[in-house]
């Protein structure tokens, strides 16, 4: 008698359907987990700051609007390619808006307070306010020329480029990881600097969160009324965050130091102060023509003494490190790209200064110098060699 018949006491087992590996035992789909970003794959935060400082140094050496626009474009592209979704990474837009505000303020100063650049293309003549004799050289109102406005535009664009470079470093480098990488002697000062640096990103994140909440409730979030109603919760959140930060720092033993001998303290002070004096003297020697012979040796000796003082001063710090960031090949490449941009711009300023600082009298369109522009493009290297940011976590939906 067949075991598969209708009257069989042991009916055949029903075939099991293949289950989707993305579903659980109940048939509901599991959430899609985002891949974890390994700490060893993350770039050292100091490399991002060195890269940004290199771009800022290049921006400080030129007033050519084409080169400054190219520097801003390079910084923006790298930020767009390698920025994460962390709250402090959203501060780049605020720095861009601050740069635009700086340009506008510089143009207003040129209109109402005058410009030191004489010009022949008169734009408008404002009523001039008479000033006393002790205020000679300062005027309010008067002639407004196109040359003066163009000079103010170049100067404001230079300041805006510096701010945007600093904003790029804030958006790419984690402040907490940067604090962990500081030497022990600079730990307390580094905490103050990092707290000050994270104030603006946290403030911007609070403003965005509160504005989004007001929009969801159908309340106005723009204009003076919306700003007044958002400002008080933002201030309250900043105070609560400062109190929580102070409590966390106290619980972790911040400010406690280890006992060292008086001789170590004296040697540390001598090395640190002597090293800083040597760095200043060596830098001055490199910038002047007469001190070029002794500038580099004094600078190297000062750097060595300062590093020795920082190493001895770090013996007083009782903090420990867990998984310190590793300075790898990618960090070297990112830092070297910023240094290369600064070096090319400094070198270009020595043999062709007119290309980096175009004149406005007579008024002429600026030209793009080839080699400095090619040097600025070296700053795009981090967009290709730096590790890609982790993918954002995708919210899951239950399968019907």
């Amino acid at each position: 008698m067949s075991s598969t018949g209708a009257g069989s006491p042991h009916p055949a087992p029903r075939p099991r359907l293949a289950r989707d590996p993305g579903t659980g035992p109940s048939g509901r789909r599991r959430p899609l987990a985002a891949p974890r970003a390994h700490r060893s794959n993350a770039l050292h935060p100091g490399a991002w700051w060195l890269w940004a400082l290199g771009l800022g140094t290049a921006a400080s050496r030129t007033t050519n609007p084409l080169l400054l626009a190219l520097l801003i474009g390079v910084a923006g592209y790298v930020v767009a390619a390698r920025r994460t979704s962390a709250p402090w990474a959203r501060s780049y837009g605020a720095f861009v808006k601050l740069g635009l505000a700086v340009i506008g303020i510089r143009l207003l100063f040129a209109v109402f307070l005058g410009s030191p650049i004489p010009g022949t293309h008169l734009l408008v003549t404002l009523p001039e306010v008479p000033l006393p004799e002790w205020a000679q050289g300062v005027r309010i109102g008067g002639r407004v020329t196109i040359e003066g406005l163009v000079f103010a535009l170049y100067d404001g664009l230079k300041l805006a480029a510096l701010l945007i470079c600093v904003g790029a470093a804030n958006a790419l480098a984690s402040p907490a990881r940067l604090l962990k990488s500081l030497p022990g002697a600079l730990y307390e000062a580094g905490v103050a600097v990092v707290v000050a640096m994270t104030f603006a990103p946290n403030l911007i994140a609070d403003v965005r969160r509160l504005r989004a909440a007001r929009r969801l409730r159908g309340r106005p979030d723009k204009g003076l009324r919306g700003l007044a109603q958002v400002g008080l919760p933002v201030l309250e959140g900043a105070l609560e965050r400062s109190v929580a930060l102070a409590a966390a720092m106290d619980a972790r033993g911040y400010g406690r130091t280890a006992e060292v001998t008086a001789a170590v303290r004296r040697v540390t002070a001598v090395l640190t102060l002597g090293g800083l004096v040597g760095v200043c003297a060596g830098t001055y020697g490199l910038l002047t023509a007469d001190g070029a012979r002794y500038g580099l040796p004094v600078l190297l000796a000062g750097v060595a003494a300062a590093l020795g003082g920082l190493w001895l001063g770090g013996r007083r710090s009782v903090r420990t490190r867990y998984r310190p960031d590793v300075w790898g090949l990618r960090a070297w490449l990112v830092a070297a790209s910023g240094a290369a941009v600064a070096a090319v711009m400094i070198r270009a300023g020595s043999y062709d200064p007119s290309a980096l600082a175009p004149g406005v009298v007579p008024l002429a369109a600026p030209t793009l110098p080839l080699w400095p522009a090619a040097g600025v493009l070296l700053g795009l290297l981090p967009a290709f060699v730096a590790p890609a940011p982790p993918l954002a976590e995708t919210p899951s939906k239950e399968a019907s």
Side-chain angles (χ1 to χ4, degrees), residues 182-188 256-258 260 264 268 272 306-321:
L182 288 177
L186 300 178
Y187 181 67
E188 295 181 2
R256 301 173 187 175
T257 58
V260 294
V264 173
T268 302
T272 304
L307 291 177
L310 292 177
W311 178 75
L312 287 177
R315 297 178 62 181
R316 298 188 61 189
S317 177
V318 295
R319 71 187 182 108
T320 58
R321 293 184 180 182

Side-chain angles (χ1 to χ4, degrees), residues 55-66:
L55 295 186
T57 302
S60 66
R61 307 289 295 190
T62 178
T63 56
N64 191 318
L66 300 179

